[in-house]
Amino acid sequence: MQKLIELKNDKSAKISQINGDPHFISRITSIGLTPGCEITVIKNEKRRPLLVYSRDTMIALNRKECENILVAD
């Protein structure tokens, strides 16, 4: 398992675990990012939000938030 922030551009993985306080977990799952869903990194540039694609939607995530989302190939 690795953190979402560690994935390179155009790499795909499945979310395996979401860590954090209940408010964070509720917010992330409400936008469709749940354990088991496929996610593809569109852009991962330093000092910029992470742009991902999941469930037919592009989502921009704060880099710090991505530290709490664990993925597996």
Side-chain angles (χ1 to χ4, degrees):
M1 266 192 301
Q2 60 185 350
K3 295 176 182 177
L4 177 57
I5 197 77
E6 297 170 352
L7 287 182
K8 305 286 184 205
N9 291 345
D10 299 321
K11 297 294 179 186
S12 295
K14 282 190 179 182
I15 295 177
S16 56
Q17 187 176 346
I18 300 172
N19 300 320
D21 62 60
H23 180 319
F24 171 73
I25 293 171
S26 174
R27 193 171 63 76
I28 291 298
T29 56
S30 72
I31 60 174
L33 299 180
T34 58
C37 86
E38 186 78 21
I39 191 165
T40 303
V41 174
I42 304 298
K43 267 191 182 177
N44 186 356
E45 298 175 356
K46 292 184 179 184
R47 298 188 183 144
R48 301 252 178 189
L50 192 76
L51 187 61
V52 298
Y53 182 81
S54 181
R55 300 183 192 239
D56 296 327
T57 305
M58 290 185 84
I59 303 165
L61 296 169
N62 179 311
R63 296 187 74 77
K64 184 170 178 146
E65 292 174 339
C66 296
E67 296 280 333
N68 294 321
I69 301 172
L70 302 178
V71 296
D73 292 335

